[in-house]
Amino acid sequence: FQSLYIPSASCLYGISKLAKSSTPHPPHPPLTKGGQTYHSSNSSTSASGKHKSPINLMDLTYYRKEYLKGGLHRDELAASPEEQFTLWFQQAVDAGYPEPNAMSLATVAETGIPSLRTVLLKYFNPEGMVFFTNYTSRKAKEIDANPNVSLLFPWVTLERQVIVIGKAEKISAVESLKYFTSRPHESQLGAWVSAQSEVIPNRTLLKIKLAEIGRKFKEGKVPLPDFWGGYRVVPHHVEFWQGGSARLHDRLVYTRESSDADWQVNRLSP
């Protein structure tokens, strides 16, 4: 990967219009979305007989759009997934996509039960993709038990997604410290406050702890917690997905047997 540090970002973006269904309307109150009218398969009423809002149950059968932004061809791909990801990521940034570094992280517990959450990619380089978390969190415990993870970048408005499969490994404390010192002061304090994934009685407890930690580290720099740091996902499977017409999407995947092996590229059926 080209070494790239990714700051947090927040912006609004427009939602693509949905294709209008020509199917006859069922006898239920309409729901308007994105300038198009859809219909619920069920609606609830109050004691007075008037319809409640919002509708409790939606039928999303006709909630769809065609993917027409373009295709993805083998001869257009970069030589490596690192280069291709850099290209697509930059295009997402240029398009104003909100937080293009937001990615879904899937892990699996020892019991075989999967879990999923959104984290932020903070930088990537030739070694892999790095995110940060509390090392006592659920995700960290599951990674310790089973380092095989998957990442998903859902760039929906671009009709693209990138799927990464690889192994997660802790980065060094030195590398974690370098990133930690770049965080805003409040975020540094927050890392000390949260016993991530643990049950707490209320939010007030967090505010009390934040005030206590703020007083404790009022003078000088906030140190790196020994229970907080980064993970690097070293990929062996990277799929680039581009939406296509008639649901015939383009799926091109890079795979390799080991970190020092050459990448192989194949097209998958949509």
mmCIF file of all heavy atoms in Angstrom, residues 226-246:
data_model
loop_
_atom_site.group_PDB
_atom_site.id
_atom_site.type_symbol
_atom_site.label_atom_id
_atom_site.label_comp_id
_atom_site.label_asym_id
_atom_site.label_seq_id
_atom_site.Cartn_x
_atom_site.Cartn_y
_atom_site.Cartn_z
ATOM 1 N N ASP A 226 -1.884 1.132 28.599
ATOM 2 C CA ASP A 226 -1.287 -0.139 28.197
ATOM 3 C C ASP A 226 -2.331 -1.110 27.648
ATOM 4 O O ASP A 226 -1.983 -2.171 27.116
ATOM 5 C CB ASP A 226 -0.518 -0.780 29.353
ATOM 6 C CG ASP A 226 -1.400 -1.049 30.569
ATOM 7 O OD1 ASP A 226 -2.637 -0.832 30.485
ATOM 8 O OD2 ASP A 226 -0.863 -1.464 31.614
ATOM 9 N N PHE A 227 -3.626 -0.751 27.755
ATOM 10 C CA PHE A 227 -4.707 -1.604 27.253
ATOM 11 C C PHE A 227 -5.314 -1.056 25.959
ATOM 12 O O PHE A 227 -6.403 -1.451 25.565
ATOM 13 C CB PHE A 227 -5.813 -1.737 28.322
ATOM 14 C CG PHE A 227 -6.317 -0.406 28.841
ATOM 15 C CD1 PHE A 227 -7.270 0.323 28.139
ATOM 16 C CD2 PHE A 227 -5.820 0.119 30.029
ATOM 17 C CE1 PHE A 227 -7.734 1.548 28.608
ATOM 18 C CE2 PHE A 227 -6.278 1.340 30.509
ATOM 19 C CZ PHE A 227 -7.232 2.048 29.799
ATOM 20 N N TRP A 228 -4.596 -0.179 25.299
ATOM 21 C CA TRP A 228 -5.129 0.477 24.096
ATOM 22 C C TRP A 228 -4.040 0.506 23.024
ATOM 23 O O TRP A 228 -2.868 0.747 23.297
ATOM 24 C CB TRP A 228 -5.572 1.894 24.443
ATOM 25 C CG TRP A 228 -6.381 2.595 23.391
ATOM 26 C CD1 TRP A 228 -7.748 2.675 23.326
ATOM 27 C CD2 TRP A 228 -5.887 3.334 22.269
ATOM 28 N NE1 TRP A 228 -8.134 3.407 22.229
ATOM 29 C CE2 TRP A 228 -7.013 3.825 21.555
ATOM 30 C CE3 TRP A 228 -4.620 3.620 21.785
ATOM 31 C CZ2 TRP A 228 -6.904 4.583 20.403
ATOM 32 C CZ3 TRP A 228 -4.497 4.368 20.628
ATOM 33 C CH2 TRP A 228 -5.636 4.849 19.947
ATOM 34 N N GLY A 229 -4.444 0.260 21.768
ATOM 35 C CA GLY A 229 -3.465 0.319 20.693
ATOM 36 C C GLY A 229 -4.043 -0.134 19.368
ATOM 37 O O GLY A 229 -5.265 -0.234 19.201
ATOM 38 N N GLY A 230 -3.168 -0.431 18.432
ATOM 39 C CA GLY A 230 -3.596 -0.727 17.082
ATOM 40 C C GLY A 230 -3.485 -2.182 16.687
ATOM 41 O O GLY A 230 -2.741 -2.958 17.287
ATOM 42 N N TYR A 231 -4.257 -2.520 15.664
ATOM 43 C CA TYR A 231 -4.153 -3.813 14.991
ATOM 44 C C TYR A 231 -3.887 -3.554 13.516
ATOM 45 O O TYR A 231 -4.417 -2.611 12.929
ATOM 46 C CB TYR A 231 -5.455 -4.609 15.099
ATOM 47 C CG TYR A 231 -5.667 -5.312 16.419
ATOM 48 C CD1 TYR A 231 -6.505 -4.765 17.383
ATOM 49 C CD2 TYR A 231 -5.048 -6.532 16.687
ATOM 50 C CE1 TYR A 231 -6.722 -5.409 18.585
ATOM 51 C CE2 TYR A 231 -5.256 -7.185 17.899
ATOM 52 C CZ TYR A 231 -6.102 -6.617 18.841
ATOM 53 O OH TYR A 231 -6.304 -7.260 20.031
ATOM 54 N N ARG A 232 -3.081 -4.396 12.938
ATOM 55 C CA ARG A 232 -2.841 -4.351 11.496
ATOM 56 C C ARG A 232 -3.467 -5.596 10.866
ATOM 57 O O ARG A 232 -3.188 -6.718 11.287
ATOM 58 C CB ARG A 232 -1.350 -4.303 11.184
ATOM 59 C CG ARG A 232 -1.043 -4.370 9.678
ATOM 60 C CD ARG A 232 0.443 -4.243 9.395
ATOM 61 N NE ARG A 232 0.903 -2.882 9.639
ATOM 62 C CZ ARG A 232 1.613 -2.493 10.695
ATOM 63 N NH1 ARG A 232 1.948 -3.375 11.633
ATOM 64 N NH2 ARG A 232 1.993 -1.242 10.848
ATOM 65 N N VAL A 233 -4.305 -5.377 9.866
ATOM 66 C CA VAL A 233 -4.884 -6.489 9.122
ATOM 67 C C VAL A 233 -4.008 -6.736 7.899
ATOM 68 O O VAL A 233 -3.904 -5.876 7.012
ATOM 69 C CB VAL A 233 -6.335 -6.198 8.696
ATOM 70 C CG1 VAL A 233 -6.884 -7.358 7.858
ATOM 71 C CG2 VAL A 233 -7.207 -5.959 9.930
ATOM 72 N N VAL A 234 -3.364 -7.885 7.866
ATOM 73 C CA VAL A 234 -2.498 -8.270 6.751
ATOM 74 C C VAL A 234 -3.353 -9.078 5.772
ATOM 75 O O VAL A 234 -3.756 -10.207 6.071
ATOM 76 C CB VAL A 234 -1.304 -9.106 7.236
ATOM 77 C CG1 VAL A 234 -0.399 -9.476 6.066
ATOM 78 C CG2 VAL A 234 -0.526 -8.350 8.308
ATOM 79 N N PRO A 235 -3.655 -8.528 4.598
ATOM 80 C CA PRO A 235 -4.612 -9.191 3.696
ATOM 81 C C PRO A 235 -4.016 -10.310 2.858
ATOM 82 O O PRO A 235 -2.846 -10.278 2.486
ATOM 83 C CB PRO A 235 -5.069 -8.036 2.805
ATOM 84 C CG PRO A 235 -3.884 -7.126 2.743
ATOM 85 C CD PRO A 235 -3.219 -7.225 4.085
ATOM 86 N N HIS A 236 -4.874 -11.300 2.581
ATOM 87 C CA HIS A 236 -4.512 -12.318 1.591
ATOM 88 C C HIS A 236 -5.611 -12.455 0.539
ATOM 89 O O HIS A 236 -5.476 -13.245 -0.398
ATOM 90 C CB HIS A 236 -4.247 -13.676 2.254
ATOM 91 C CG HIS A 236 -5.403 -14.213 3.059
ATOM 92 N ND1 HIS A 236 -6.522 -14.760 2.488
ATOM 93 C CD2 HIS A 236 -5.590 -14.275 4.405
ATOM 94 C CE1 HIS A 236 -7.359 -15.151 3.425
ATOM 95 N NE2 HIS A 236 -6.826 -14.861 4.605
ATOM 96 N N HIS A 237 -6.683 -11.669 0.699
ATOM 97 C CA HIS A 237 -7.823 -11.698 -0.229
ATOM 98 C C HIS A 237 -8.414 -10.287 -0.258
ATOM 99 O O HIS A 237 -8.832 -9.769 0.771
ATOM 100 C CB HIS A 237 -8.851 -12.707 0.290
ATOM 101 C CG HIS A 237 -10.136 -12.750 -0.495
ATOM 102 N ND1 HIS A 237 -10.540 -13.861 -1.199
ATOM 103 C CD2 HIS A 237 -11.137 -11.836 -0.659
ATOM 104 C CE1 HIS A 237 -11.709 -13.630 -1.763
ATOM 105 N NE2 HIS A 237 -12.091 -12.409 -1.456
ATOM 106 N N VAL A 238 -8.433 -9.659 -1.416
ATOM 107 C CA VAL A 238 -8.989 -8.309 -1.552
ATOM 108 C C VAL A 238 -9.877 -8.286 -2.796
ATOM 109 O O VAL A 238 -9.391 -8.449 -3.914
ATOM 110 C CB VAL A 238 -7.895 -7.229 -1.677
ATOM 111 C CG1 VAL A 238 -8.534 -5.837 -1.686
ATOM 112 C CG2 VAL A 238 -6.876 -7.344 -0.549
ATOM 113 N N GLU A 239 -11.167 -8.067 -2.578
ATOM 114 C CA GLU A 239 -12.113 -8.041 -3.693
ATOM 115 C C GLU A 239 -12.595 -6.612 -3.964
ATOM 116 O O GLU A 239 -12.966 -5.890 -3.040
ATOM 117 C CB GLU A 239 -13.335 -8.911 -3.400
ATOM 118 C CG GLU A 239 -14.382 -8.859 -4.509
ATOM 119 C CD GLU A 239 -15.630 -9.687 -4.215
ATOM 120 O OE1 GLU A 239 -15.555 -10.616 -3.389
ATOM 121 O OE2 GLU A 239 -16.686 -9.397 -4.826
ATOM 122 N N PHE A 240 -12.593 -6.245 -5.233
ATOM 123 C CA PHE A 240 -13.113 -4.952 -5.675
ATOM 124 C C PHE A 240 -14.419 -5.211 -6.419
ATOM 125 O O PHE A 240 -14.447 -5.936 -7.412
ATOM 126 C CB PHE A 240 -12.095 -4.236 -6.557
ATOM 127 C CG PHE A 240 -10.866 -3.814 -5.807
ATOM 128 C CD1 PHE A 240 -9.803 -4.704 -5.645
ATOM 129 C CD2 PHE A 240 -10.781 -2.553 -5.235
ATOM 130 C CE1 PHE A 240 -8.674 -4.330 -4.924
ATOM 131 C CE2 PHE A 240 -9.658 -2.166 -4.519
ATOM 132 C CZ PHE A 240 -8.609 -3.062 -4.358
ATOM 133 N N TRP A 241 -15.487 -4.620 -5.906
ATOM 134 C CA TRP A 241 -16.847 -4.855 -6.411
ATOM 135 C C TRP A 241 -17.394 -3.558 -6.990
ATOM 136 O O TRP A 241 -17.394 -2.526 -6.320
ATOM 137 C CB TRP A 241 -17.712 -5.344 -5.263
ATOM 138 C CG TRP A 241 -19.132 -5.742 -5.550
ATOM 139 C CD1 TRP A 241 -19.609 -7.004 -5.665
ATOM 140 C CD2 TRP A 241 -20.270 -4.871 -5.683
ATOM 141 N NE1 TRP A 241 -20.968 -6.996 -5.873
ATOM 142 C CE2 TRP A 241 -21.402 -5.686 -5.886
ATOM 143 C CE3 TRP A 241 -20.454 -3.491 -5.658
ATOM 144 C CZ2 TRP A 241 -22.683 -5.173 -6.074
ATOM 145 C CZ3 TRP A 241 -21.727 -2.966 -5.833
ATOM 146 C CH2 TRP A 241 -22.820 -3.798 -6.047
ATOM 147 N N GLN A 242 -17.842 -3.629 -8.222
ATOM 148 C CA GLN A 242 -18.452 -2.465 -8.883
ATOM 149 C C GLN A 242 -19.834 -2.874 -9.367
ATOM 150 O O GLN A 242 -19.988 -3.867 -10.078
ATOM 151 C CB GLN A 242 -17.604 -2.019 -10.069
ATOM 152 C CG GLN A 242 -18.194 -0.883 -10.888
ATOM 153 C CD GLN A 242 -18.121 0.457 -10.179
ATOM 154 O OE1 GLN A 242 -17.037 0.935 -9.859
ATOM 155 N NE2 GLN A 242 -19.279 1.065 -9.927
ATOM 156 N N GLY A 243 -20.859 -2.106 -8.964
ATOM 157 C CA GLY A 243 -22.219 -2.422 -9.366
ATOM 158 C C GLY A 243 -22.391 -2.372 -10.874
ATOM 159 O O GLY A 243 -21.777 -1.555 -11.566
ATOM 160 N N GLY A 244 -23.237 -3.263 -11.396
ATOM 161 C CA GLY A 244 -23.476 -3.323 -12.837
ATOM 162 C C GLY A 244 -24.957 -3.420 -13.150
ATOM 163 O O GLY A 244 -25.772 -3.749 -12.292
ATOM 164 N N SER A 245 -25.315 -3.124 -14.382
ATOM 165 C CA SER A 245 -26.713 -3.184 -14.795
ATOM 166 C C SER A 245 -27.214 -4.626 -14.786
ATOM 167 O O SER A 245 -26.419 -5.567 -14.915
ATOM 168 C CB SER A 245 -26.876 -2.583 -16.196
ATOM 169 O OG SER A 245 -26.113 -3.324 -17.137
ATOM 170 N N ALA A 246 -28.521 -4.788 -14.634
ATOM 171 C CA ALA A 246 -29.162 -6.112 -14.599
ATOM 172 C C ALA A 246 -28.598 -6.982 -13.477
ATOM 173 O O ALA A 246 -28.656 -8.210 -13.554
ATOM 174 C CB ALA A 246 -29.031 -6.822 -15.943
#
